[in-house]
Amino acid sequence: MDKQQLRAFRAALVEVDEPIAPEDQRYVPGLHGTDEEDVITALLEEIQTRPAIDSHLFYFTGQRGTGKSTELRRLEQLLLGERAQVIRFDSLDFITETEKVTVESVLLLVTAGLAAWADEYYREDFLKAGAWERFSAWLGTEVELSEVSAHGLKITLKEQQVSVAEKIRKLSTPLEWTKKVQDFAGDIVNFIRERTRRERVVVIVDSLERLRGVSGAEQDAMFQHVITTFAGDFDRLRLPGASVVYSVPPYLALMSDVRNFVTCFALASVRVFGKPVSNGSPTAHRRQPRPEGLEKMRSLIHRRYPEWAKVMDAATLDALAMASGGDLRHFMQRLVSGVVGKALYALERMPLKPDDSLVKQVIDENRGETERLTVKSEWPLLADIALTHNAIAANRGDSLRTLARLFDTRVILNYRNGAEWFDIHPLLWPMIDQWHEQQQRPAA
């Protein structure tokens, strides 16, 4: 193993951010749990049991880097196998990550996504259809888009999103505006149903969870917009005659009023530790390695770089998997990649062992980085999650915003053993356990 091969290994690890198809050789079946824990199968069954031509709403979530886009592609394949017609697209093709989302902007991008799909597969018929004629005329007049075309709609909306957002903000009758866009969407859904001759139409909208502001103030504003849109006005996000799956931020699933009205499915991190047992102590987890989860993490690396064992042995890779808490992005891009990078200077010691100083250095560096993602005022919340495995916001303001940030930075990870549960990142266990023990000691 030489330096060029090590660089190739690291390059393969960076591809974790690239969505892959289920048939890709890098895809690991059952990565997120056993068959009965498979949220994609559960979501498929939920969609299939609903009346085909009614309007249904589903939320799909999970922390960044867990493989949501890849799993949504698998959902698409499964639905197509069930004779449903699927229209899947990435919301960021139509808006930027800094766009302040509203019901109106979401409905507009979804309807544009439907139009772009119909144009791609049925261009000649669609451009002559009343559904497109009505929608395009409205886009040119009321929304005031220039150069309206089904083929270039995603580019036009993205380039003119500032003026579109300003138009939406000035709406005096948003409910009436929403009804118009829903009607346009319904018209296009009917066109697709007729052309494909498939009764069930499912729309999958990916990447909405990636919407975020740039500065602190913009991030707070974006957070509030997301809460208002997906937790307050969610009923207006429905599309006539179709089931729609929105990929939304993970903290929305923590809000009980969302789960009470919208069916939510969360893609969990890989369980590299055993199921926790609560007995009144913050260290009540078994916190023991879970062989099935570790085997999946090894398979993840093997499918990307089969010669990994020349760089580190299996025990080392398992140690890195446990240090990641089953978070795929942290595992591949920070821990494994970090050790491979250090191996450039230790060619004679490969394969590296778990007690190698370079391996320990990478883990310690990542521990420090993870600890710095927290502030002391958050430690009581983290200690409580380590003890109870629940992540419950005390209020809808500051505490929910805190949880949202901790989820976004993956300080808190979510898992599933049948039921959903939460834990703090394993690299935080020593610090939070020590802090909790100090709090439990009687005052001198």
Side-chain angles (χ1 to χ4, degrees):
M1 180 70 67
D2 57 28
K3 290 187 176 183
Q4 196 60 35
Q5 290 171 305
L6 290 173
R7 294 185 186 110
F9 189 177
R10 294 193 78 189
L13 296 171
V14 174
E15 294 174 355
V16 66
D17 279 340
E18 172 193 337
I20 59 177
E23 64 270 16
D24 192 295
Q25 65 176 7
R26 294 169 294 174
Y27 181 76
V28 180
L31 179 63
H32 298 281
T34 59
D35 290 343
E36 63 270 20
E37 296 164 352
D38 182 9
V39 294
I40 291 298
T41 300
L43 177 51
L44 171 72
E45 291 302 317
E46 195 69 27
I47 292 172
Q48 287 292 101
T49 56
R50 306 292 180 91
I53 60 174
D54 287 353
S55 173
H56 308 293
L57 183 64
F58 304 94
Y59 287 167
F60 182 69
T61 189
Q63 291 168 296
R64 293 187 69 176
T66 52
K68 293 187 299 300
S69 294
T70 292
E71 291 302 307
L72 286 175
R73 292 184 181 200
R74 182 161 71 93
L75 175 64
E76 178 182 19
Q77 289 189 359
L78 292 172
L79 284 165
L80 289 171
E82 296 286 347
R83 294 287 303 164
Q85 185 54 58
V86 182
I87 296 90
R88 177 184 56 82
F89 57 88
D90 194 312
S91 62
L92 297 183
D93 287 342
F94 297 86
I95 56 176
T96 65
E97 292 187 26
T98 56
E99 174 68 14
K100 292 182 178 64
V101 64
T102 64
V103 170
E104 294 76 25
S105 64
V106 171
L107 283 177
L108 182 56
L109 79 86
V110 172
T111 309
L114 287 168
W117 188 93
D119 175 73
E120 180 179 356
Y121 292 96
Y122 299 96
R123 176 169 299 173
E124 187 173 340
D125 286 346
F126 183 60
L127 296 182
K128 297 176 183 177
W132 170 245
E133 291 176 350
R134 288 188 292 274
F135 183 46
S136 60
W138 178 81
L139 288 172
T141 55
E142 289 199 35
V143 184
E144 299 177 356
L145 288 183
S146 60
E147 301 180 17
V148 176
S149 71
H151 180 67
L153 193 51
K154 64 176 65 175
I155 297 175
T156 302
L157 275 176
K158 202 163 188 175
E159 288 179 344
Q160 301 181 40
Q161 70 175 25
V162 174
S163 60
V164 173
E166 184 65 23
K167 181 80 173 178
I168 290 173
R169 279 193 292 270
K170 292 180 178 179
L171 287 175
S172 57
T173 55
L175 291 177
E176 181 181 342
W177 200 90
T178 297
K179 179 64 168 60
K180 283 184 180 180
V181 183
Q182 284 178 324
D183 287 344
F184 294 135
D187 287 346
I188 301 174
V189 166
N190 286 333
F191 172 88
I192 293 171
R193 179 178 287 114
E194 291 171 2
R195 291 303 184 278
T196 61
R197 298 181 181 178
R198 295 190 175 191
E199 187 177 31
R200 189 181 301 280
V201 176
V202 181
V203 183
I204 300 175
V205 187
D206 199 3
S207 298
L208 283 167
E209 79 283 355
R210 292 173 60 185
L211 298 175
R212 64 194 66 239
V214 178
S215 66
E218 288 183 353
Q219 289 173 351
D220 285 345
M222 179 68 77
F223 174 84
Q224 194 54 55
H225 275 277
V226 169
I227 294 295
T228 300
T229 300
F230 294 102
D233 294 333
F234 53 82
D235 209 43
R236 294 167 56 201
L237 295 173
R238 298 178 184 274
L239 302 182
S243 295
V244 58
V245 180
Y246 292 106
S247 182
V248 299
Y251 55 82
L252 284 169
L254 300 177
M255 303 180 66
S256 59
D257 50 350
V258 171
R259 286 187 178 270
N260 285 338
F261 296 102
V262 182
T263 307
C264 300
F265 295 87
L267 189 65
S269 295
V270 180
R271 286 185 288 123
V272 293
F273 290 98
K275 185 177 181 179
V277 178
S278 296
N279 65 4
S281 165
T283 56
H285 318 64
R286 285 184 283 163
R287 289 185 179 177
Q288 297 299 311
R290 179 174 176 266
E292 300 91 335
L294 295 176
E295 188 278 328
K296 294 292 185 183
M297 298 292 268
R298 287 195 297 271
S299 180
L300 196 72
I301 299 301
H302 185 80
R303 288 169 182 258
R304 283 167 169 75
Y305 200 80
E307 296 188 62
W308 63 269
K310 293 181 180 179
V311 181
M312 63 190 79
D313 65 16
T316 301
L317 193 59
D318 286 352
L320 298 176
M322 288 185 285
S324 75
D327 179 87
L328 304 184
R329 178 176 293 182
H330 196 180
F331 175 57
M332 289 194 280
Q333 291 191 350
R334 301 293 299 166
L335 290 162
V336 179
S337 179
V339 169
V340 175
K342 298 287 187 185
L344 287 166
Y345 310 100
L347 297 176
E348 74 287 351
R349 299 212 301 269
M350 296 191 300
L352 300 176
K353 307 295 183 183
D355 60 354
D356 192 285
S357 60
L358 294 182
V359 175
K360 291 182 176 180
Q361 181 182 351
V362 169
I363 292 176
D364 286 343
E365 287 172 353
N366 277 266
R367 178 177 288 108
E369 291 172 1
T370 305
E371 289 176 350
R372 287 189 290 274
L373 292 173
T374 73
V375 294
K376 287 188 176 181
S377 62
E378 297 164 348
W379 291 2
L381 172 62
L382 296 177
D384 183 68
I385 292 172
L387 173 65
T388 66
H389 304 292
N390 290 322
I392 301 174
N395 58 65
R396 295 182 181 278
D398 293 338
S399 64
L400 183 59
R401 189 174 283 104
T402 296
L403 277 177
R405 188 184 67 79
L406 295 174
F407 266 88
D408 194 46
T409 55
R410 298 185 293 285
V411 166
I412 301 172
L413 300 174
N414 73 301
Y415 301 95
R416 180 174 294 277
N417 293 84
E420 191 174 41
W421 54 280
F422 305 88
D423 205 344
I424 62 175
H425 198 291
L427 292 177
L428 293 175
W429 287 352
M431 182 182 75
I432 297 302
D433 287 351
Q434 182 181 24
W435 177 85
H436 187 269
E437 290 169 5
Q438 291 174 348
Q439 300 305 304
Q440 299 303 305
R441 293 173 189 161

